[in-house]
Every structure is written in C-alpha cells, then in structure tokens.
Amino acid sequence: SAVLGAIRAAGRHIEAFCHMSHSYHDGACLYFSFFFLIDAANPIQQWQRIKQAASNALLKNGAALSHHHGIGSDHLAHLQKQQGPLARAGLQALKASFDPEGTLNPGKLMS
C-alpha cells in the first residue's frame, strides 16, 4: 500500500503483481512488479519517492532488507537504519580483515 500510495500521489494509474520465488524457514523472497506511466520530466525523483515509501514500510513492519542477490548500494541508507551497533562493528571488522584494501564491493555494506 505504501508503494501504491506513492505512485498514485503523482496521479498515476498502477497495476501491481507479486510472486514468491524462494521460500525459507524464516520467510520468503517476494518479487513485486509495478506497471505505471513514468514521469518523463522527473524519472529519478519518481523512483526515489517510490523506493523511499517501500523501504520505510518494510522497516516499519520489521522486515529485513535482504535478498538472495545481496543488498547493494540502493539499500545502503536503509540497511544502516536496520543494523544495530554490534552488527555494524562486526561487518566493519570482517571487511577490514578480509579486504584491508577495500577493493571488494566498495560502498555496498558500509559507506
């Protein structure tokens, strides 16, 4: 509903679909597809509004920003909100130990 609201707020009609691709003991990977007209004058801002609405709704409802393909830089700001200090320190220690020169996926888990 957060994504639908963000798209409809711009006066766009939308069609939404979902399927579950992977199922795990602690949840599932849900893939959502949204079909709507792009805002040709502001496509990046349109995407950012939709992404922000979706990510905020996930975090508000206790969902994890994870995926079997990884997190990626698109989720970095929201991932940092989800992590606690212990998780962040652990990731930083692993990164420093296994990748001291910072060459592996820079900016993906930590800014």
Side-chain angles (χ1 to χ4, degrees):
S1 65
V3 171
L4 295 175
I7 295 168
R8 288 184 181 137
R12 306 281 181 191
H13 174 75
I14 182 170
E15 297 292 334
F17 303 90
C18 178
H19 75 275
M20 182 176 64
S21 67
H22 297 76
S23 178
Y24 305 99
H25 292 290
D26 58 348
C29 281
L30 302 177
Y31 282 84
F32 293 89
S33 298
F34 302 97
F35 298 91
F36 55 92
L37 292 175
I38 191 168
D39 179 350
N42 298 298
I44 301 300
Q45 292 84 357
Q46 181 185 34
W47 164 248
Q48 290 170 335
R49 281 191 313 271
I50 296 166
K51 176 70 175 174
Q52 184 74 27
S55 296
N56 288 343
L58 290 168
L59 291 173
K60 179 183 174 186
N61 289 286
L65 297 178
S66 63
H67 191 271
H68 60 276
H69 293 294
I71 297 293
S73 57
D74 195 42
H75 294 284
L76 184 58
H78 297 288
L79 176 64
Q80 291 172 348
K81 293 176 190 173
Q82 181 179 319
Q83 294 172 331
L86 182 60
R88 185 146 180 83
L91 283 173
Q92 288 172 332
L94 285 170
K95 181 80 167 152
S97 177
F98 288 107
D99 185 25
E101 295 179 25
T103 58
L104 300 173
N105 297 313
K108 300 297 181 188
L109 289 176
M110 294 165 272
S111 54

